[in-house]
Amino acid sequence: MNLFISFLQKTIGQKIVVGLTGLGLCLFVLIHMLGNLLILSGPEAYNNYAYKLHDFPGLLLLEFGLFIFFIGHILLSILLQLKNKKAKGSISYQKEAQGIKKTNFIHKFILSQGILLLIFLVLHLWSFKFGTYYETELNGKKVRDIYLLVVENFQKPLYTFGYSFILLILFNHLLRGFPASFKTLGLSHPLYVSWIEKLAWFFSLIVTFGFLAPIWYIYIYL
Ligand code: HEM
Protein backbone atom coordinates (compact mmCIF):
# COMPACT_ATOMS: atom_id res chain seq x y z
CA MET A 1 0.00 0.00 0.00
CA ASN A 2 2.83 2.39 0.97
CA LEU A 3 4.59 1.50 -2.27
CA PHE A 4 1.44 2.41 -4.24
CA ILE A 5 1.06 5.74 -2.40
CA SER A 6 4.69 6.72 -3.05
CA PHE A 7 4.21 5.64 -6.71
CA LEU A 8 1.18 7.96 -6.89
CA GLN A 9 3.18 10.85 -5.44
CA LYS A 10 5.63 10.75 -8.34
CA THR A 11 4.75 12.56 -11.59
CA ILE A 12 5.53 9.46 -13.68
CA GLY A 13 3.27 7.34 -11.44
CA GLN A 14 0.45 9.88 -11.83
CA LYS A 15 0.91 9.90 -15.62
CA ILE A 16 0.78 6.10 -15.77
CA VAL A 17 -2.44 6.04 -13.71
CA VAL A 18 -4.03 8.73 -15.95
CA GLY A 19 -3.03 6.69 -19.03
CA LEU A 20 -4.32 3.38 -17.66
CA THR A 21 -7.59 4.80 -16.32
CA GLY A 22 -8.03 6.66 -19.64
CA LEU A 23 -7.77 3.42 -21.61
CA GLY A 24 -10.11 1.70 -19.13
CA LEU A 25 -12.68 4.49 -19.61
CA CYS A 26 -12.32 4.16 -23.40
CA LEU A 27 -13.32 0.51 -23.01
CA PHE A 28 -16.29 1.54 -20.86
CA VAL A 29 -17.60 4.12 -23.39
CA LEU A 30 -17.26 1.55 -26.19
CA ILE A 31 -19.28 -1.07 -24.26
CA HIS A 32 -21.86 1.54 -23.14
CA MET A 33 -22.27 2.76 -26.73
CA LEU A 34 -22.76 -0.82 -28.03
CA GLY A 35 -25.39 -1.44 -25.32
CA ASN A 36 -27.22 1.78 -26.25
CA LEU A 37 -27.34 0.74 -29.91
CA LEU A 38 -29.93 -1.84 -28.78
CA ILE A 39 -32.37 1.09 -28.49
CA LEU A 40 -32.60 0.77 -32.28
CA SER A 41 -33.91 -2.80 -31.87
CA GLY A 42 -36.85 -1.71 -29.72
CA PRO A 43 -38.04 -1.81 -26.11
CA GLU A 44 -37.75 -5.57 -25.55
CA ALA A 45 -34.10 -5.81 -26.63
CA TYR A 46 -33.01 -2.73 -24.65
CA ASN A 47 -34.94 -3.57 -21.46
CA ASN A 48 -33.71 -7.15 -21.62
CA TYR A 49 -30.10 -5.93 -21.92
CA ALA A 50 -30.55 -3.54 -18.95
CA TYR A 51 -32.23 -6.27 -16.92
CA LYS A 52 -29.43 -8.79 -17.60
CA LEU A 53 -26.82 -6.15 -16.72
CA HIS A 54 -28.51 -5.44 -13.38
CA ASP A 55 -28.80 -9.17 -12.70
CA PHE A 56 -25.03 -9.65 -13.07
CA PRO A 57 -23.68 -10.55 -9.58
CA GLY A 58 -20.42 -8.57 -9.91
CA LEU A 59 -22.16 -5.36 -11.08
CA LEU A 60 -21.70 -3.45 -7.80
CA LEU A 61 -17.97 -4.18 -7.83
CA LEU A 62 -17.72 -3.13 -11.49
CA GLU A 63 -19.62 0.10 -10.78
CA PHE A 64 -17.32 0.84 -7.85
CA GLY A 65 -14.27 0.20 -10.08
CA LEU A 66 -15.73 2.49 -12.74
CA PHE A 67 -16.28 5.23 -10.15
CA ILE A 68 -12.65 4.92 -8.92
CA PHE A 69 -11.43 5.07 -12.56
CA PHE A 70 -13.42 8.28 -13.23
CA ILE A 71 -12.31 9.96 -10.00
CA GLY A 72 -8.66 8.84 -10.34
CA HIS A 73 -8.52 9.95 -13.98
CA ILE A 74 -10.02 13.37 -13.30
CA LEU A 75 -8.19 14.24 -10.06
CA LEU A 76 -4.76 13.15 -11.30
CA SER A 77 -5.29 14.94 -14.63
CA ILE A 78 -6.06 18.16 -12.74
CA LEU A 79 -2.97 17.68 -10.54
CA LEU A 80 -0.71 17.02 -13.54
CA GLN A 81 -2.08 20.03 -15.43
CA LEU A 82 -1.43 22.28 -12.42
CA LYS A 83 2.13 20.93 -12.09
CA ASN A 84 2.65 21.41 -15.82
CA LYS A 85 1.39 25.00 -15.69
CA LYS A 86 3.72 25.79 -12.81
CA ALA A 87 6.73 24.25 -14.55
CA LYS A 88 5.99 25.86 -17.92
CA GLY A 89 4.88 29.20 -16.51
CA SER A 90 8.15 31.03 -17.03
CA ILE A 91 8.82 29.44 -20.45
CA SER A 92 5.41 30.33 -21.86
CA TYR A 93 5.76 33.84 -20.43
CA GLN A 94 9.05 34.19 -22.34
CA LYS A 95 7.45 32.77 -25.50
CA GLU A 96 4.48 35.09 -25.20
CA ALA A 97 6.81 38.03 -24.75
CA GLN A 98 8.53 36.97 -27.98
CA GLY A 99 5.17 36.72 -29.75
CA ILE A 100 5.26 32.91 -30.03
CA LYS A 101 1.81 31.30 -29.81
CA LYS A 102 1.23 29.43 -26.55
CA THR A 103 -0.50 26.04 -26.73
CA ASN A 104 -2.89 24.89 -29.39
CA PHE A 105 -6.51 25.92 -28.75
CA ILE A 106 -7.88 22.39 -28.35
CA HIS A 107 -5.04 21.16 -26.13
CA LYS A 108 -5.42 24.17 -23.89
CA PHE A 109 -9.03 23.28 -23.19
CA ILE A 110 -8.63 19.53 -22.65
CA LEU A 111 -8.97 19.94 -18.88
CA SER A 112 -12.07 22.16 -19.17
CA GLN A 113 -13.53 19.51 -21.49
CA GLY A 114 -12.87 16.87 -18.84
CA ILE A 115 -14.59 18.99 -16.18
CA LEU A 116 -17.57 19.59 -18.49
CA LEU A 117 -17.79 15.82 -19.08
CA LEU A 118 -17.79 15.30 -15.30
CA ILE A 119 -20.71 17.74 -14.88
CA PHE A 120 -22.49 15.95 -17.72
CA LEU A 121 -21.92 12.60 -15.98
CA VAL A 122 -23.52 13.78 -12.73
CA LEU A 123 -26.59 15.08 -14.64
CA HIS A 124 -26.65 11.93 -16.79
CA LEU A 125 -26.73 9.58 -13.80
CA TRP A 126 -29.31 11.81 -12.16
CA SER A 127 -31.68 11.58 -15.12
CA PHE A 128 -31.20 7.90 -16.05
CA LYS A 129 -29.74 5.72 -13.33
CA PHE A 130 -31.72 7.53 -10.62
CA GLY A 131 -34.48 8.84 -12.91
CA THR A 132 -38.19 7.92 -13.00
CA TYR A 133 -38.76 4.22 -12.39
CA TYR A 134 -41.26 2.97 -14.99
CA GLU A 135 -42.15 -0.72 -14.96
CA THR A 136 -42.93 -3.18 -17.71
CA GLU A 137 -43.31 -6.92 -18.09
CA LEU A 138 -40.63 -9.03 -19.74
CA ASN A 139 -41.00 -12.82 -20.03
CA GLY A 140 -43.54 -12.75 -17.19
CA LYS A 141 -41.26 -10.71 -14.88
CA LYS A 142 -41.72 -7.10 -13.74
CA VAL A 143 -38.62 -5.15 -14.87
CA ARG A 144 -37.59 -1.50 -15.16
CA ASP A 145 -38.78 0.12 -18.41
CA ILE A 146 -35.57 2.08 -18.98
CA TYR A 147 -36.39 2.23 -22.72
CA LEU A 148 -39.48 4.36 -21.96
CA LEU A 149 -37.43 6.81 -19.87
CA VAL A 150 -34.74 7.11 -22.57
CA VAL A 151 -37.35 7.68 -25.29
CA GLU A 152 -39.26 10.18 -23.13
CA ASN A 153 -36.08 12.21 -22.52
CA PHE A 154 -34.68 12.20 -26.06
CA GLN A 155 -37.99 13.36 -27.51
CA LYS A 156 -37.13 16.69 -25.87
CA PRO A 157 -34.91 19.01 -27.95
CA LEU A 158 -32.93 20.08 -24.85
CA TYR A 159 -31.73 16.50 -24.29
CA THR A 160 -30.97 15.63 -27.91
CA PHE A 161 -29.19 18.90 -28.73
CA GLY A 162 -27.47 19.03 -25.32
CA TYR A 163 -26.20 15.44 -25.63
CA SER A 164 -25.05 16.07 -29.21
CA PHE A 165 -22.95 19.00 -27.98
CA ILE A 166 -21.48 16.88 -25.15
CA LEU A 167 -20.74 14.08 -27.64
CA LEU A 168 -18.72 16.52 -29.75
CA ILE A 169 -16.68 17.29 -26.65
CA LEU A 170 -16.31 13.59 -25.91
CA PHE A 171 -15.14 13.08 -29.52
CA ASN A 172 -12.44 15.70 -29.08
CA HIS A 173 -11.43 14.38 -25.67
CA LEU A 174 -11.09 10.81 -27.01
CA LEU A 175 -9.20 11.98 -30.09
CA ARG A 176 -6.59 13.75 -27.92
CA GLY A 177 -6.65 11.40 -24.92
CA PHE A 178 -6.43 8.06 -26.73
CA PRO A 179 -2.97 8.58 -28.31
CA ALA A 180 -1.78 10.47 -25.19
CA SER A 181 -2.53 7.38 -23.04
CA PHE A 182 -0.44 5.18 -25.36
CA LYS A 183 2.39 7.71 -25.25
CA THR A 184 2.38 7.94 -21.44
CA LEU A 185 2.43 4.18 -21.11
CA GLY A 186 5.45 4.01 -23.42
CA LEU A 187 3.43 2.09 -26.03
CA SER A 188 3.82 4.56 -28.86
CA HIS A 189 7.00 3.72 -30.72
CA PRO A 190 7.72 6.36 -33.45
CA LEU A 191 7.08 3.62 -36.03
CA TYR A 192 3.48 3.19 -34.84
CA VAL A 193 2.55 6.80 -34.00
CA SER A 194 0.65 7.39 -37.23
CA TRP A 195 -1.23 4.09 -36.78
CA ILE A 196 -2.20 5.01 -33.22
CA GLU A 197 -3.46 8.38 -34.48
CA LYS A 198 -5.51 6.66 -37.20
CA LEU A 199 -6.90 4.25 -34.60
CA ALA A 200 -7.78 7.25 -32.38
CA TRP A 201 -9.77 8.83 -35.25
CA PHE A 202 -11.51 5.52 -35.99
CA PHE A 203 -12.32 4.85 -32.33
CA SER A 204 -13.54 8.40 -31.59
CA LEU A 205 -15.75 8.49 -34.71
CA ILE A 206 -17.26 5.05 -34.03
CA VAL A 207 -18.03 5.89 -30.38
CA THR A 208 -19.48 9.33 -31.18
CA PHE A 209 -21.70 8.18 -34.07
CA GLY A 210 -22.70 5.09 -32.08
CA PHE A 211 -24.04 7.33 -29.29
CA LEU A 212 -25.58 9.86 -31.71
CA ALA A 213 -27.49 7.30 -33.81
CA PRO A 214 -30.05 6.11 -31.21
CA ILE A 215 -30.73 9.56 -29.73
CA TRP A 216 -31.37 11.14 -33.13
CA TYR A 217 -33.42 8.11 -34.18
CA ILE A 218 -35.64 8.71 -31.13
CA TYR A 219 -35.85 12.46 -31.77
CA ILE A 220 -36.77 12.11 -35.44
CA TYR A 221 -38.86 8.93 -35.58
CA LEU A 222 -40.43 8.27 -32.16
C1 HEM B 1 -25.83 9.53 -25.65
C2 HEM B 1 -26.45 8.49 -25.33
C3 HEM B 1 -26.49 7.83 -23.96
C4 HEM B 1 -27.56 7.16 -23.50
C5 HEM B 1 -28.89 6.94 -24.22
C6 HEM B 1 -27.21 6.64 -22.19
C7 HEM B 1 -28.05 5.90 -21.38
C8 HEM B 1 -27.76 5.49 -20.11
C9 HEM B 1 -28.69 4.79 -19.23
C10 HEM B 1 -30.13 4.44 -19.61
C11 HEM B 1 -28.06 4.54 -18.07
C12 HEM B 1 -28.65 3.83 -16.84
C13 HEM B 1 -28.37 2.36 -16.95
C14 HEM B 1 -29.06 1.59 -15.87
O1 HEM B 1 -28.88 1.88 -14.70
O2 HEM B 1 -29.76 0.64 -16.24
C15 HEM B 1 -26.70 5.05 -18.19
C16 HEM B 1 -25.74 4.93 -17.22
C17 HEM B 1 -24.47 5.44 -17.34
N1 HEM B 1 -23.96 6.18 -18.40
FE1 HEM B 1 -24.92 6.58 -20.11
N2 HEM B 1 -25.92 7.02 -21.89
C18 HEM B 1 -25.44 7.76 -22.94
C19 HEM B 1 -24.18 8.35 -23.01
C20 HEM B 1 -23.20 8.25 -22.04
C21 HEM B 1 -21.88 8.84 -22.14
C22 HEM B 1 -21.40 9.66 -23.33
C23 HEM B 1 -21.22 8.52 -20.97
C24 HEM B 1 -19.83 8.86 -20.52
C25 HEM B 1 -18.96 9.62 -21.08
C26 HEM B 1 -22.11 7.74 -20.15
C27 HEM B 1 -21.80 7.24 -18.91
C28 HEM B 1 -22.66 6.52 -18.11
C29 HEM B 1 -22.30 5.96 -16.81
C30 HEM B 1 -20.95 6.10 -16.10
C31 HEM B 1 -23.43 5.28 -16.33
C32 HEM B 1 -23.57 4.49 -15.03
C33 HEM B 1 -23.21 3.06 -15.30
C34 HEM B 1 -23.56 2.17 -14.14
O3 HEM B 1 -23.33 2.55 -13.00
O4 HEM B 1 -24.08 1.08 -14.40
N3 HEM B 1 -23.31 7.61 -20.83
N4 HEM B 1 -26.56 5.62 -19.44
Side-chain angles (χ1 to χ4, degrees), residues 29-42:
V29 285
L30 180 68
I31 295 173
H32 193 40
M33 178 277 284
L34 291 173
N36 280 329
L37 279 182
L38 285 171
I39 292 171
L40 301 173
S41 306

Side-chain angles (χ1 to χ4, degrees), residues 153-165 219:
N153 282 342
F154 288 107
Q155 279 172 337
K156 298 172 191 152
L158 182 68
Y159 266 83
T160 304
F161 284 90
Y163 268 67
S164 301
F165 172 69
Y219 189 68

Side-chain angles (χ1 to χ4, degrees), residues 40-55:
L40 301 173
S41 306
E44 223 168 88
Y46 192 60
N47 284 335
N48 193 29
Y49 154 75
Y51 172 71
K52 288 215 167 113
L53 195 69
H54 281 264
D55 220 25

Side-chain angles (χ1 to χ4, degrees), residues 28 32 36 46 54 63 121 124-125 129 146 154 163 211:
F28 165 75
H32 193 40
N36 280 329
Y46 192 60
H54 281 264
E63 284 182 337
L121 215 57
H124 180 57
L125 295 183
K129 199 164 171 60
I146 191 78
F154 288 107
Y163 268 67
F211 274 126

Side-chain angles (χ1 to χ4, degrees), residues 75-98:
L75 289 185
L76 289 178
S77 301
I78 293 176
L79 198 75
L80 281 170
Q81 188 105 349
L82 289 177
K83 272 189 190 175
N84 214 17
K85 240 185 186 166
K86 216 170 150 189
K88 278 190 179 164
S90 55
I91 298 171
S92 62
Y93 173 76
Q94 285 167 22
K95 281 186 176 176
E96 228 179 331
Q98 291 162 13

